[in-house]
């Protein structure tokens, strides 16, 4: 069989994650279905407890409908809305910026550092110390641990504390990543995780969870996610409807204990790709010093991306682009959202060059070898 007749290795394969643990997931689904209680019940409570404990001592987790809502609920819980500016990046899933506008706040997008694709901490500090004119006061910063690599959070947290600004971590791509030994999602005032099926911890449908060391904040957000009910049927404040259902919670409880091993497998696959790239024209992704990267994506850059992707595709290797157009250049946001004083040049350059290789724990050794052979062939 020659390469072109081999089955394509998809860049993402959420079905493989289900099949690998089908019996346990099916049993959990049957348990949830049989319980007769489908929204905000025992499974959801148990998942919140287990997720909080997995993050670390003193962390409180609140389930919700998706990762976008997790960010928006945190902002609501901190009373950040109209009349507030929230700083984030343009090199992210559009959801990060959408969540800021959902609550009526004003996004301000700063650039990334090109070697790690994460928020430029120096630019953030400059913007906090000397905010661009014409914007409401900056109340929060949302750095994104993009691709599973922790941001340079220490200077960000210090600057936020100096300026009285909340630090909210977008951990949608980084469940289990560590920075100087500390789990991401435990360093800011609060953190948001997507549980979309392809994320490192994924439901089999939509889901989200947020976390905070602040018990009172967690309690308030838990009320806001259900119409602002502090007691049943009585809204003590204005809320929304953003709940994690029992089916998804039951599935997530099967998957949470598998997450650390899944992340370890991702790192193993990444190390194999690194080795295959050594000495060739493509630089392996740089890891920031002191981090444990969880490789939600394994991202390379090519100044002739279409040709590189086509060459891999010809060998049955799927690739993706995360993300092809920065948020500030997308139709819904273009010429409207505020950028930091330095602009978003590195963001725009990255969007034109990045592409992602197949990356999920269920990749077989045979599939990894085929990707590695494909990468080596690019060197010639
Ligand atoms: C996936 C993702 C989100 C949004 O999550 P949803 O569950 O799709 O709403 C937010 N931020 C980042 C960085 C993401 O990758």
């Amino acid at each position: 069989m020659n390469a072109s007749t081999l089955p394509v290795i998809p860049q993402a394969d959420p079905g493989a994650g289900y099949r690998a643990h089908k019996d346990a997931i099916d049993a959990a689904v049957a348990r949830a279905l049989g319980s007769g209680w489908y929204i905000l019940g025992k499974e959801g409570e148990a998942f919140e407890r287990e997720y909080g404990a997995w993050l670390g001592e003193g962390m409180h987790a609140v389930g919700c409908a998706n990762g976008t809502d997790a960010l928006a609920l945190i902002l609501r819980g901190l009373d950040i809305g109209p009349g507030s500016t929230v700083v984030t990046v343009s090199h992210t899933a559009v959801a990060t910026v959408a969540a800021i506008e959902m609550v009526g706040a004003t996004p301000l997008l700063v650039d990334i550092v090109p070697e790690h694709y994460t928020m430029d901490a120096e630019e953030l500090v400059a913007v906090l110390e000397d905010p661009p004119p014409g914007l409401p006061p900056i109340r929060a910063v949302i750095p994104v641990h993009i691709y599973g690599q922790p941001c340079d959070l220490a200077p960000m947290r210090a600057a936020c504390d100096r300026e009285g600004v909340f630090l909210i971590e977008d951990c949608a791509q980084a469940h289990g990543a560590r920075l100087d030994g500390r789990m991401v999602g435990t360093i800011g005032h609060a953190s948001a995780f997507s549980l979309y099926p392809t994320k490192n911890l994924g439901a089999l449908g939509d889901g989200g969870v947020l976390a905070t060391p602040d018990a009172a904040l967690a309690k308030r957000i838990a009320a806001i996610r259900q119409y602002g009910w502090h007691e049943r049927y009585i809204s003590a404040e204005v809320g929304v409807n953003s709940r994690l259902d029992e089916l998804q919670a039951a599935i997530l409880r099967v998957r949470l204990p598998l997450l650390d091993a899944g992340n370890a497998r991702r790192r193993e696959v990444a190390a194999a790709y690194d080795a295959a790239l050594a000495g060739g024209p493509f630089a392996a992704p740089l890891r920031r010093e002191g981090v444990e990267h969880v490789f939600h994506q394994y991202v390379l850059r090519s100044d002739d991306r279409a040709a590189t992707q086509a060459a891999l595709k010809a060998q049955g290797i799927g690739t993706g682009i995360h993300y092809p157009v920065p948020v500030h250049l997308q139709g819904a946001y273009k010429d409207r959202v505020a950028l930091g004083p330095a602009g978003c040049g590195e963001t725009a350059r990255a969007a034109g060059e990045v592409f992602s290789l197949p990356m999920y724990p269920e990749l077989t050794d045979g599939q990894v070898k085929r990707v590695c052979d494909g990468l080596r062939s690019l060197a010639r």
Side-chain angles (χ1 to χ4, degrees):
M1 216 163 36
N2 69 36
S4 61
T5 63
L6 285 168
V8 173
I9 303 169
Q11 198 269 323
D13 190 359
Y18 168 58
R19 289 188 298 275
H21 301 282
K22 184 178 183 309
D23 291 347
I25 290 172
D26 288 355
V29 166
R31 184 179 73 226
L33 289 177
S35 75
W37 189 280
Y38 304 111
I39 302 260
L40 295 189
K42 290 199 173 73
E43 299 288 346
E45 276 167 28
F47 173 68
E48 289 174 344
R49 225 170 20 246
E50 289 158 10
Y51 199 73
W54 174 79
L55 276 172
E57 178 120 13
M59 292 300 296
H60 305 274
V62 180
C64 61
N66 55 65
T68 313
D69 280 2
L71 286 165
L73 284 167
I74 292 168
L75 293 170
R76 283 183 200 281
L78 295 170
D79 291 311
I80 293 171
S84 301
T85 292
V86 179
V87 185
T88 188
V89 286
S90 186
H91 188 69
T92 181
V94 73
T96 315
V97 182
I100 296 168
E101 292 202 334
M102 264 169 72
V103 303
T106 302
L108 169 62
L109 308 181
V110 298
D111 211 357
I112 55 169
V113 289
E115 61 276 26
H116 302 126
Y117 305 105
T118 52
M119 181 183 278
D120 184 332
E122 272 180 42
E123 195 194 345
L124 173 70
V125 173
V127 159
L128 288 177
E129 286 174 354
D130 185 15
L135 293 175
I138 296 172
R139 300 273 327 280
V141 177
I142 309 182
V144 180
H145 303 303
I146 192 121
Y147 308 144
Q149 164 120 280
C151 298
D152 188 13
L153 282 185
M156 297 184 189
R157 175 80 207 222
C160 284
D161 286 349
R162 268 197 311 275
E163 304 293 332
V165 165
F166 292 109
L167 181 68
I168 302 166
E169 300 176 59
D170 183 337
C171 300
Q173 304 192 0
H175 321 62
R178 285 172 188 274
L179 179 62
D180 298 324
R182 281 186 74 180
M183 194 89 99
V184 303
T186 67
I187 300 164
H189 296 92
S191 55
F193 298 80
S194 169
L195 304 170
Y196 184 80
T198 57
K199 302 287 160 104
N200 291 39
L201 177 64
L204 295 174
D206 268 315
V209 61
L210 57 94
T212 174
D214 180 340
L217 178 64
K219 191 167 175 227
R220 181 173 183 208
I221 292 174
I224 293 173
R225 80 172 156 183
Q226 180 163 242
Y227 321 122
W229 287 355
H230 288 254
E231 65 186 292
R232 201 163 178 79
Y233 303 130
I234 301 173
S235 296
E237 62 181 319
V238 174
V240 298
N241 176 4
S242 180
R243 299 174 296 214
L244 179 66
D245 68 65
E246 291 285 282
L247 275 177
Q248 300 307 333
I251 292 165
L252 289 161
R253 292 183 66 202
V254 174
R255 288 188 151 178
L256 179 58
L258 305 167
L259 177 53
D260 291 334
N263 284 341
R265 172 64 178 162
R266 286 172 185 267
R267 276 193 289 274
E268 196 173 83
V269 172
Y273 292 170
D274 287 350
L277 290 166
F282 294 96
L286 287 175
R287 282 71 145 174
R288 176 171 277 123
E289 211 178 305
V291 308
E292 205 165 296
H293 196 312
V294 291
F295 289 98
H296 175 60
Q297 302 294 357
Y298 186 99
V299 172
L300 301 177
R301 294 178 81 130
S302 170
D303 48 20
D304 193 0
R305 176 167 67 191
T308 307
Q309 289 184 286
L312 290 170
K313 190 175 175 197
Q315 300 179 61
I317 300 165
T319 55
I321 300 177
H322 303 93
Y323 295 92
V325 181
V327 175
H328 73 282
L329 297 178
Q330 298 180 19
Y333 299 93
K334 196 171 159 59
D335 302 326
R336 188 172 70 74
V337 287
L339 303 185
C344 280
E346 293 298 349
T347 296
R349 233 182 325 279
E353 297 179 2
V354 293
F355 65 102
S356 314
L357 296 180
M359 179 54 85
Y360 33 97
E362 299 77 21
L363 280 167
T364 64
D365 289 344
Q367 288 175 313
V368 174
K369 181 175 181 304
R370 273 182 57 203
V371 177
C372 288
D373 290 344
L375 293 175
R376 283 191 200 94
S377 80
L378 294 178
R380 277 182 265 119

